[in-house]
Amino acid sequence: MKLSWIDIRTVGSAKKAVVEEAVHARVDGIVAADTADLTGLPPTVRKVLFPQGQPLPEDFGPADVVIVEPDKHGEPAELALRHSGVEFGRYVEIIDADTLEDACQSARTDRWSLLYFRDPTKIPLEIVIAAAAKAEGSLITVAKDTEEAEIIFGVLELGSDGVLMAPTAVGDATALRRAAEAGVPDVELVELEVTGTAHVGMGDRACVDTATYFREDEGILVGSHSKGMILCVSETHPLPYMPTRPFRVNAGAIHSYTLGQGERTNYLSELKAGSKVTAVDIHGRTRLVTVGRVKIETRPLISIDAVGPDGRTANLILQDDWHVRVLGPGGTVLNSTELKPGDKVLGYLPVADRHVGYPINEFCLEK
């Protein structure tokens, strides 16, 4: 989970509403210049004092963390020795090679590093993240808005540990918290037993081309019903008549569901460049990947029915061709046209029904 910090030092008259929203959204930290603004905050939020350009107060009040400017306030490690019960962090503005090295040193040694990058490039942040790879401290990077926050969370795959953002309106705190939760929860895969296959004639199928290389034991979950999906493998494994395309999943007929962002399902037909889909490996581990293109073409189709250990069922309609494949137990690659009753495939059997893709507790019959 990434950290979301809200900066209330410049929000003006909207401060009370922003704080109430931030607490309700369960942001991780609220940053203030005055200890009075931290008084009364619940224990669910980290109280961060950052008196930028001001002297340190004699009493840190309810502050859990104090961010300091070493040239004005002293070194964080020395301050921590004098003030037990309070954590100290360093603020660094990165404007050149020397201040970039200061940020790297802080990342390696300080409990908290609050970083402001003057220039829009994320290359300096990549360098700091790499420098902090084995460090125990946390990097908090200043973002101007939630769009930049999403980028910061993904830099160098690891991303910054957290983001500090000054909201400009009510709603920004919630949006930042949502960006910090942009990952997707892992899923519990089960072994499904194939009960039958059928050639169902012509139809439109979608190939989902992503901006990511899939691993050999990874693909996307696809199914005709929202409560039963089968793990379709990417074109990572060699084929005799065409080159591998490890960014692609020949996913299924256009009506099919797949898992997207925020635990929501999406129809394959509605995916487009920039959409997010959930990649899943054979252990149920997930990650969000970005769609670069969806190719919808008319092809012969095959229908695959399978049943889970508890009797729940899944159906998958794929392009009716030997080279279109799914994953079985242990990462076995199975050609769809060779599946027969009794074969085992990996699948996902969520319990919630869906309304416009969102899970909901209501009656819904799919067949």
Side-chain angles (χ1 to χ4, degrees), residues 25-42:
R26 301 187 71 84
V27 301
D28 300 285
I30 291 179
V31 178
D34 190 331
T35 57
D37 289 328
L38 301 175
T39 302
L41 292 177

Side-chain angles (χ1 to χ4, degrees), residues 94-95 116-126 141-142 144 148 151-152 155:
I94 295 88
I95 60 173
Y116 170 73
F117 293 88
R118 181 189 63 185
D119 297 319
T121 173
K122 296 298 181 285
I123 300 301
L125 177 56
E126 291 183 7
T141 304
V142 177
K144 65 179 182 297
E148 185 179 23
I151 296 171
I152 289 170
V155 167

Side-chain angles (χ1 to χ4, degrees), residues 136-148:
E136 296 182 357
S138 297
L139 303 178
I140 307 296
T141 304
V142 177
K144 65 179 182 297
D145 52 33
T146 54
E147 183 175 332
E148 185 179 23

Side-chain angles (χ1 to χ4, degrees), residues 261-283:
Q261 192 170 11
E263 299 184 74
R264 184 181 181 181
T265 55
N266 295 104
Y267 294 118
L268 294 181
S269 61
E270 68 186 9
L271 297 177
K272 59 184 179 182
S275 297
K276 303 289 186 181
V277 293
T278 299
V280 183
D281 71 12
I282 60 172
H283 305 290

